[in-house]
């Protein structure tokens, strides 16, 4: 990756990480086009289990744009997308997805089996082993590990607060 692109990715990932601090779970996402943030969202899945940051972002963007395609957009998410979010990214035709912490890294911090299951499914989605989306998948670019330690720190702090409150 070119240095200039890495600097751009770090800048926008920091914004996604900042967004992750606003939700009830530590996940945030932003949608960028032409190096400008167009939409932001954070996890708000307390009563709606589908209200993950990426899905909320895609819903807001497509509703405001008035069409279901996000071609030309890059989605930055504080952590690697779960299967539901990854599928939404595919169906929305997002050109590029950039994530901070990987699911494997989150497993190590959270020690949750659900995340492990998601890791296997997401890997299959992105490698094409589970689904074949043809030309749609061919346009995707996936970049991971951008500011992963910063994203993990937010997750670890959230996890500690949950444990302190007896909600782990």
């Amino acid at each position: 990756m070119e240095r200039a692109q890495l600097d751009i990715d770090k800048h926008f990932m920091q914004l996604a990480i900042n967004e992750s601090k606003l939700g009830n779970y530590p996940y945030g996402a932003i949608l960028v086009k032409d190096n400008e943030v167009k939409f932001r969202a954070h996890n708000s899945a307390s009563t709606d289990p589908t209200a993950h940051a990426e899905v909320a972002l895609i819903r807001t963007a497509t509703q405001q744009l008035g069409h279901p395609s996000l071609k030309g957009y890059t989605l930055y998410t504080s952590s690697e997308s779960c299967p539901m979010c990854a599928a939404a990214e595919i169906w929305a035709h997002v050109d590029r997805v950039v994530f901070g912490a990987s699911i494997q890294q989150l497993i190590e911090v959270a020690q949750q089996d659900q995340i492990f299951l998601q890791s296997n499914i997401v890997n299959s989605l992105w490698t094409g082993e589970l689904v074949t989306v043809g030309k749609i998948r061919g346009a995707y670019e996936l970049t991971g590990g951008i500011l992963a330690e910063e994203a993990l720190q937010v997750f670890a702090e959230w996890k500690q607060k949950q444990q302190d409150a007896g909600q782990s």
Side-chain angles (χ1 to χ4, degrees), residues 51-70:
H52 293 193
E54 299 94 327
V55 169
L57 182 70
I58 290 168
R59 285 178 181 159
T60 298
T62 56
Q63 287 171 357
Q64 288 187 21
L65 293 170
H67 56 80
S69 178
L70 296 176

Side-chain angles (χ1 to χ4, degrees), residues 149-161:
E149 292 303 317
E150 289 86 340
L152 283 170
Q153 184 61 38
V154 172
F155 193 86
E157 290 169 3
W158 173 85
K159 182 72 173 169
Q160 186 61 53
K161 285 180 187 175

